Amino acid sequence: MEQRIISCDETECLIAAEHFLDYFPEDEQINSFDRVIIDVSRVYENAVLMGALAASKYILPPVEPRVTFDVDVILPKKDFNDFLEDEIPPDKLEILDACFETSDSTSHSLRHRKTRVYVDFLSEDSRPVSGKLVRRILENPDETTNSLVLNGSSIGILKPELIVAMKLHRYAKNPRSEKALTDRLDIVKMLKSFHDRQDLLDPEAVRALIKRREVKYFEEMMEDVACEMCEQEN
């Protein structure tokens, strides 16, 4: 399956490894999560992939991404409000109804009909994401996103530094919570994948995006990763 992440200037960033399991019987080259991403991109051309699934696209062997069960997507404010108010243009509504159904959970936005994977739509007013970061992402897509290409379809995906910054924002709110621990795990796995590769994940760029309290946690994670990587090399 054609799957790659490209930067906005059309130069290849890296080839994303395939991580998830369930494949479609009619197309063994497309897995469940990527089928959902493709269908989201058919409805929302300006959608941006974030969260654990976005992180997984940057996590490289031998590091393995953690298991996730949903797809997190940032929508422009108008698209998000139109979705909430059920004012979706007919052409988009036709595709949306064909591919997705109403979620059976209040914590999710939709459920994909074929895969049963949940999709969460978020905007600058959503919690617990950082509204400031989301606004920056939507206002500056060339600076904050790459393009994830899947079988000819493409969707925006947060750059690694933005994924780390978004996850640090939630982690810092309650570091001992279950969600915070999963965010920390995603961050650590990304830092391991790009250890000593500032051209792929620049710590200084992360520091420029986060608050002082979040910097402390980021430095702790960086130190833990450096120690672990050093032990592995020895």
Side-chain angles (χ1 to χ4, degrees), residues 4 6 13 36 49 51 62 74 83 107 114 191 200:
R4 67 185 188 276
I6 57 176
C13 174
V36 176
L49 189 66
I74 298 172
F83 173 77
S107 60
K114 285 188 176 181
L191 293 175
L200 296 179

Side-chain angles (χ1 to χ4, degrees), residues 122-131 135 169-170 173 179:
L122 302 103
S123 77
E124 60 189 76
D125 297 323
S126 301
R127 296 291 181 270
V129 299
S130 167
R135 284 191 296 275
H169 176 76
R170 187 168 71 171
K173 288 181 178 296
K179 288 185 177 180

Side-chain angles (χ1 to χ4, degrees), residues 174-187:
N174 187 2
R176 295 187 178 182
S177 69
E178 183 176 351
K179 288 185 177 180
L181 293 176
T182 62
D183 285 329
R184 187 185 192 283
L185 187 58
D186 287 335
I187 294 169

